[in-house]
Every structure is written in structure tokens, then in C-alpha cells.
Amino acid sequence: MVELKTDTSIDAMREAGRIVAQALTAVREAADVGVSLLELDEVAHDVLRTAGATSPFLGYRPSFAPTPFPAVLCASVNDAIVHGIPTGYRLRDGDLLSADFGAELGGWVGDSAISFTVGEPRPEDVRLIETAERALEAGIAAAVVGNRIGDIAHAIGVVCRDAGYGIPEDFGGHGIGRSMHEDPGVPNEGRAGRGMPLKHGMALAIEPMVISGGTDHYHPAPDGWTLRTNDGSRAAHAEHTVAITHEGPRILTAL
């Protein structure tokens, strides 16, 4: 069932989203050659503590997971697409990091992700990240009252496929609000004009993921959480929590 949020609830989600944006900004600023993923997780955790918020990631255990997620930050490096568990791995020059983070405040959740390079960027990684961001912008632009879920999916898919990139099968965005994952699902590829109609008060986490090698296939790492590309090529991830309103899409996790 899809819950339509009131304008007051959307304002409350914006406060949670603001914390998410602050944490991801802090992570990006702290990420440097030699910094460990565990240290970045602690940076993000400090933002939560300061804001009096909690993490919807920490302890989360969906049906596919062998263990609860042990951190507040998903840190996916290079060929890791999403759900990377922070470890003692220290970032190296040229690494591509996708950072995904959520916050819960006052019973409402925000969720967002960014991808960036550490040290000297590879031109191909810059293009990959820019494509993920353009796909996110296209998906958000389609998130208007009167459109359908398929319009968002189609807009994202066109950008990714036109760039020659793969889209991970069976993973995409989702409804969000009182919990991190709610109905409806938001695919990263689909047919325009199909699917659930978009209404004022819907809140969606829109999150394109792209694989540079051009294939859609991935596999879980031994930790049971991290998803890695089958061909070893790099991946990027971009995400915002967005409210559908009569005035147009409202990005709740912007800084």
C-alpha cells in the first residue's frame, strides 16, 4: 500500500533529508587517499549523533541478507555497485566511491547516495558518475503529478543505455517515508506511460545505478551484502529522496 504524505509530513521528511545531505557532504570532504571506509562510517555516524537522529541502515536485515547491516554508511568501491560494508580498506588514488546513507528523525526517513573519485580521477570514471547524476536528474524531472512510475523508469533507462552502460537487474528505487523501503518500487528502466500514477504526497527514493562495462549482471560478495559487477568493471550510484507535489518534484535530500 502506498501512503500519501501530508505537506506537514513532507516537511518533516525534509528535516531528515537535510541530515542525510550533511552526512554525505562530510563523508565526501573526509574521503582522501589513506582514509579507511570505517573512518568514513564514523564521520557519518557523528553527523547522526549531533543531529539527534538514528540510522535506518544499522541493523537492517532484509530477506536476502545473511546478517544485519553493521554500519550507518554503505561504502561501495570501484566494482562494488551498492551495499558495500565499511571495512578497514584504505582509499587509494583513483578509487571510485559510492556512498549511500540514510537518517531517521521524528519517525521519518531520508535516503540518498553520491559517487565520487578519490585523488586523480580517471576520465572514464568522471563520465560514469556524470551519467548516473544525469539519469537521476531525468528521473526526478519525470516525477510529476499525472505521470506514472514507468515515466521515471524510462527517463532513467534512456540516459544510462544511451551512454552504453549496464543497469543492475532487479535493483532500483522505492517508496520511502515512515520506513526506508515502502511501496512502490521504482525501476531504473521501463516503459513510459505504464505503472502506478504519480500523486501529490507520494515520496520516492529515486536511485540510478550504472555499470561501466555495459552488462547488467552482478553477484553478491562473500559478505552477503556487497553487490559486485560480474565483469569487474566500475559502477556508480546516485540517489535522492523526492516528494511528488502539485508544484513539481521536491528534492528532500538536497543540501
Side-chain angles (χ1 to χ4, degrees):
M1 187 178 85
V2 176
E3 177 190 9
L4 298 181
K5 282 71 178 179
T6 65
D7 292 346
T8 300
S9 296
I10 291 173
D11 288 341
M13 288 184 67
R14 170 60 178 146
E15 294 310 306
R18 202 183 308 275
I19 296 167
V20 174
Q22 291 168 352
L24 288 175
T25 299
V27 166
R28 184 168 192 161
E29 291 174 349
D32 202 354
V33 175
V35 175
S36 77
L37 302 182
L38 282 172
E39 289 169 340
L40 294 181
D41 183 66
E42 187 58 28
V43 167
H45 212 155
D46 281 345
V47 173
L48 285 178
R49 295 187 189 102
T50 300
T54 57
S55 170
F57 289 16
L58 183 62
Y60 180 62
R61 188 179 183 183
S63 58
F64 68 80
T67 57
F69 196 77
V72 302
L73 178 74
C74 291
S76 305
V77 180
N78 296 334
D79 66 327
I81 306 168
V82 286
H83 303 162
I85 295 176
T87 65
Y89 175 84
R90 294 192 177 277
L91 293 167
R92 301 170 184 174
D93 187 46
D95 276 347
L96 192 166
L97 175 63
S98 295
D100 190 356
F101 183 79
E104 182 174 354
L105 182 70
W108 297 99
V109 177
D111 184 11
S112 183
I114 57 173
S115 293
F116 56 92
T117 55
V118 176
E120 186 67 26
R122 301 181 182 185
E124 59 268 33
D125 288 345
V126 173
R127 178 174 178 268
L128 181 70
I129 293 167
E130 288 177 345
T131 300
E133 292 172 345
R134 284 194 296 108
L136 176 59
E137 291 171 0
I140 292 172
V144 297
V145 173
N147 271 0
R148 293 177 177 265
I149 290 290
D151 294 303
I152 298 175
H154 178 73
I156 292 170
V158 166
V159 172
C160 299
R161 296 300 189 190
D162 282 355
Y165 296 137
I167 300 171
E169 298 173 328
D170 305 322
F171 275 86
H174 48 88
I176 187 170
R178 299 179 190 273
S179 62
M180 182 166 56
H181 291 125
E182 298 181 354
D183 291 333
V186 186
N188 285 328
E189 191 168 31
R191 296 180 63 181
R194 298 295 182 91
M196 180 178 293
L198 303 179
K199 299 180 179 180
H200 179 91
M202 291 175 68
L204 306 173
I206 300 173
E207 50 178 326
M209 307 162 198
V210 286
I211 298 174
S212 61
T215 69
D216 300 348
H217 307 303
Y218 59 87
H219 62 275
D223 63 26
W225 272 99
T226 308
L227 300 183
R228 296 191 178 277
T229 62
N230 277 4
D231 60 4
S233 64
R234 294 188 171 196
H237 178 204
E239 177 184 15
H240 269 309
T241 295
V242 179
I244 312 298
T245 79
H246 290 305
E247 292 73 36
R250 181 181 177 189
I251 302 174
L252 304 180
T253 43
L255 187 62

